[in-house]
Structures are given as structure tokens and as C-alpha cells.
Amino acid sequence: MQLFVKCNMMHLTLKVETSMEATLMTVQTSVAAVQSTPLADQFSCKDEALINDWHVVGFSKDVVPGKLVPVRLLGRDLVLWRDAAGQVHLWEDLCIHRGARLSKGWIEKDTVVCPYHGWRYDGTAKCVLIPSAPGETPPAKARAFPHKAVESCGFVWASLGDPQHDVPFFPEWNDAEFRKFHAGPYFYQANGFRSVENFIDATHFPFVHAGLNGVQDSPDRIETYEVYEDPGLGLRTSEIVVFQPYGDHRQVPVKAGYTYRCFRPLTAYFSKRVEVADPNSKHKSKPTDRFCTFMTAQPVDEVSCIIRLGVAINFAPELTEEDILRRQDIVFEQDRIIVETQRPERIPIDLRMELHHRTDRLGQAYRRWLGSLGIHYGTI
Ligand code: FES
Ligand SMILES: [Fe+2]
């Protein structure tokens, strides 16, 4: 008889041999290499579509040398830091020695120091010092568990697997005609997909953003629009036009034409064509006036997320960053209050579970798309 026992941290195989003749039981043990993922990940996301994607885990400006930033992504506890050369690193928030949280430690001599026994890890994730054995070279297995982290458009992006796509790009980021700002983070006790679906939904404006993005007593009729799925590029719509009494930060009524895109399941975008509504003030806007928002949702776990935005504007140079951010903060707080109430918390991708209307065409396409990507985490 042979009995095999496996544990997650390492493969420990116990081979127990018995026979009629045997008078002795022999027990052989063999220890295979330590797995590349630590024990702590056992309750986190397993969906390849999300593991192998890029997710925003912070603003670049918030990751400064000498500071450890704890991050939670897809149910995993991670630590983010920047070395003296400016490179960002994202590791499991776990020391291989006894499982202490590295984020509770500190940075010294460009190494991360574990707070428990002081083991030090350098930018290659290798342990370079075990203080209780200062003259000895640490064993090769003494390593942190690194993940991929890159910076783009002022965000830190992470992948827990092998990314199958380029990092999503904010289309206006390199366009000198646009001023760019970041807004957030906004902490939602709500599912990331529900939060993205809220962002790409033009029919909630008159109610959730009454007086800003719509008029409660006179909601816009939403004409039928098109949704396109471009292989590998996600979803996009034709233009959806609405009236907004305080449609941009100038506090003037505008006719707003939204074109939405979903680059990835948790990265969406709109370009808003802005036209001053008052016929006597038409000269105040140009046909090219655009306000664009690049929205990222960090899936902390299945039922909470962190929203971070990039916004770009090519008109109204008199508006200050404070003017821009004040309005973003109001709008995303209004959204948070509603999205946190939605039940079930995890988004239903079986379209029979909620009622979809002609005017929810993008939301329906979004849910179908999530299903086609094989996403189960955060969905029902
Ligand atoms: S747990 Fe990190 S050094 Fe011991
Ligand atoms: Fe909203």
C-alpha cells in the first residue's frame, strides 16, 4: 500500500510500504522544492483571467522610497515598495521564515527588514542577512515571493500571474492638448465589477447625481446605442447623449456625449463630448471639447474595491486641480453610497438573475463579457 500526503507549502511525500512478508514498515520521506506561492494564498482568487491580468494597486506618487505599503489584491495580502534606484516591487506580505508580515517591518540599506527576526531581503527578493547567523550565507530558499509590478500613466499596476495583455493605457495620457489629473482613491465596500458597471451606466445620472449629471424630474430618454466587442480590446459604445445641469466643473448646463470603453474587466473609460447647452453661449465650447475619465478598480476581494481615476480635459484652462477633484469626489461618493447597497454583492453574470432593459445594453454586454472570460471570482 502506498500513502501520499501533500501539503501546500512543500510537497512532503510519505511512502508507506507493506507486504505480507514484511515485518518492518519502512517510511521514506522526500522533500521537493518549495512551491512558488505561499500557503497564505489558499483562499484567494484562482481565476486565470484575473490572475493573469494587470490591476492598479496604487498611485506612483504614493510609493516613495523608504516606505512599505500594504496592499490587498484579489484576496491576497501584498507589500509594495520602491528601492533606491526607483524600481517598484510587489511581494507577498509574508516572510518565508515564520510567516510574519513584511509590511510591518521597515526598509534599511535598500532591503526590506522583517519585523520578527530581522531577516533582510534585497530588491531581487533574496534574503541577504539572517541576523542570528551574521557570518553565514542565507540559504537559497530564503526568498520573498515577488509578483510583477510596473508603472504606467501614474499608476502602479500589478499582476499575480503571467499577463496576457499589455497594461491598459489612458488614451489622452500623452496628448499635450489635455491637462491630466488623478482622483481618488475611493474605497468602496462593494464588488469591483458592480462598481465598473456603475461607471459605464448612463441611466443612473438623473437619480444618483441629480442636479449634477442629470435632472431627476426630467430624466433623459436614452436612445438605442451600439456596443461593439473588439477581440482582445474589450468593449466600446457608440455615443450616448444626455443633458447635464452641472455637467462639468464650470457649473454650466451642457449637452454631454459619452463614448464608453471597457479595456479590461476592471479598467474602464469614457470620453465625454461637452457642448454648452445655452444656445446663446455656444461660443463657449468647441466641437473638440472633451472630458475623459480612465477608471480603475482594484479588486481588494470579492466584495470590496478601491477606485482610482485618471481624468483629462482639453478645455476650460481656468479650472484648477481643486475644482476638478472636488467634483470627482462628490460624484464618486454619490456612486459609492448606492453601489454598496446592491445585493447580491457579487455581480450576477447569468442575465436571468436581474432584469435588463434596452437601455442597459452596455451592462448586459459587460456581464456577458465577464462570463466569456471565465471569471468566477466576484461573480455569481
Ligand atoms: S518571520 Fe521573518 S524573520 Fe522570522
Ligand atoms: Fe455615477
Side-chain angles (χ1 to χ4, degrees), residues 149-349:
V150 299
E151 295 180 86
S152 175
C153 302
F155 302 100
V156 179
W157 300 79
S159 176
L160 301 180
D162 295 314
Q164 304 297 303
H165 300 86
D166 292 339
V167 173
F169 195 76
F170 185 9
E172 285 74 23
W173 186 253
N174 289 331
D175 189 334
E177 279 188 14
F178 285 81
R179 293 192 296 149
K180 272 82 69 179
F181 306 93
H182 289 111
Y186 305 118
F187 298 88
Y188 282 24
Q189 289 302 314
N191 172 267
F193 305 119
R194 289 258 197 210
S195 305
V196 170
E197 190 185 62
N198 164 263
F199 175 78
I200 58 174
D201 170 10
T203 61
H204 76 283
F205 293 161
F207 303 95
V208 178
H209 309 299
L212 288 175
N213 285 344
V215 180
Q216 192 170 325
D217 294 336
S218 177
D220 289 294
R221 176 188 162 82
I222 301 294
E223 302 301 338
T224 299
Y225 57 89
E226 300 299 326
V227 180
Y228 309 97
E229 180 174 349
D230 305 316
L233 299 173
L235 307 176
R236 66 186 165 89
T237 67
S238 57
E239 190 179 71
I240 302 166
V241 178
V242 294
F243 173 79
Q244 300 191 323
Y246 176 3
D248 64 47
H249 313 75
R250 296 171 297 184
Q251 307 188 33
V252 295
V254 300
K255 205 167 112 184
Y258 282 79
T259 305
Y260 289 102
R261 296 194 60 179
C262 297
F263 294 116
R264 300 298 311 146
L266 293 156
T267 308
Y269 162 88
F270 67 68
S271 170
K272 178 161 90 169
R273 185 175 58 79
V274 179
E275 193 181 314
V276 170
D278 178 359
N280 298 320
S281 302
K282 288 279 185 201
H283 60 281
K284 289 186 181 165
S285 54
K286 301 189 297 299
T288 53
D289 286 354
R290 296 286 184 280
F291 178 79
C292 305
T293 302
F294 183 76
M295 183 263 200
T296 70
Q298 172 186 339
V300 173
D301 54 32
E302 291 188 276
V303 293
S304 60
C305 69
I306 303 171
I307 310 292
R308 295 181 183 84
L309 308 177
V311 297
I313 184 167
N314 68 349
F315 60 92
E318 71 279 9
L319 296 175
T320 65
E321 179 168 17
E322 201 184 2
D323 295 329
I324 304 272
L325 298 189
R326 188 185 315 117
R327 189 174 187 285
Q328 298 307 117
D329 292 352
I330 292 169
V331 168
F332 281 79
E333 174 63 6
Q334 291 172 333
D335 285 324
R336 183 190 67 77
I337 290 166
I338 290 295
V339 177
E340 287 188 352
T341 68
Q342 287 182 277
R343 295 294 180 274
E345 289 167 278
R346 291 178 293 153
I347 196 169
I349 53 174

Side-chain angles (χ1 to χ4, degrees), residues 95-100 102 114-119 121:
C95 177
I96 194 171
H97 178 219
R98 289 292 181 266
L102 294 174
C114 177
Y116 198 174
H117 309 94
W119 290 21
Y121 300 90

